[in-house]
Amino acid sequence: MSLSTAQLLRGLTGLTRRLPVQCARIHSKPPWEELGTMDVAIGLTSCFLCFLLPSGWVLSHLESCKKRE
């Protein structure tokens, strides 16, 4: 590494040390309402339909896509 590159990197890291760093203030509170069984079932079903079903379809049709050249 040349001397000018080392000085440039040292200068850039020096600038970042002087910048203020904001810490995230995350406060968690208990939920206002408890989730019911139906809410959980609807959430899990929608996740299954949105993510697992399309990927399963692609994996099941992978061989037929390979045969079409």
Side-chain angles (χ1 to χ4, degrees):
M1 205 174 357
S2 68
L3 183 61
S4 62
T5 307
Q7 288 176 344
L8 177 66
L9 289 174
R10 192 177 305 121
L12 289 175
T13 56
L15 288 175
T16 57
R17 289 183 192 149
R18 289 183 227 127
L19 293 174
V21 177
Q22 295 181 352
C23 295
R25 294 187 178 112
I26 301 173
H27 299 284
S28 178
K29 296 179 182 177
W32 292 343
E33 299 176 2
E34 290 292 325
L35 290 178
T37 308
M38 193 58 145
D39 297 328
V40 173
I42 290 172
L44 289 174
T45 303
S46 64
C47 287
F48 172 77
L49 291 175
C50 291
F51 298 111
L52 296 178
L53 199 63
S55 60
W57 184 88
V58 168
L59 288 175
S60 66
H61 290 86
L62 199 58
E63 290 297 324
S64 63
C65 290
K66 284 182 183 177
K67 290 178 185 175
R68 291 186 213 164
E69 290 179 89

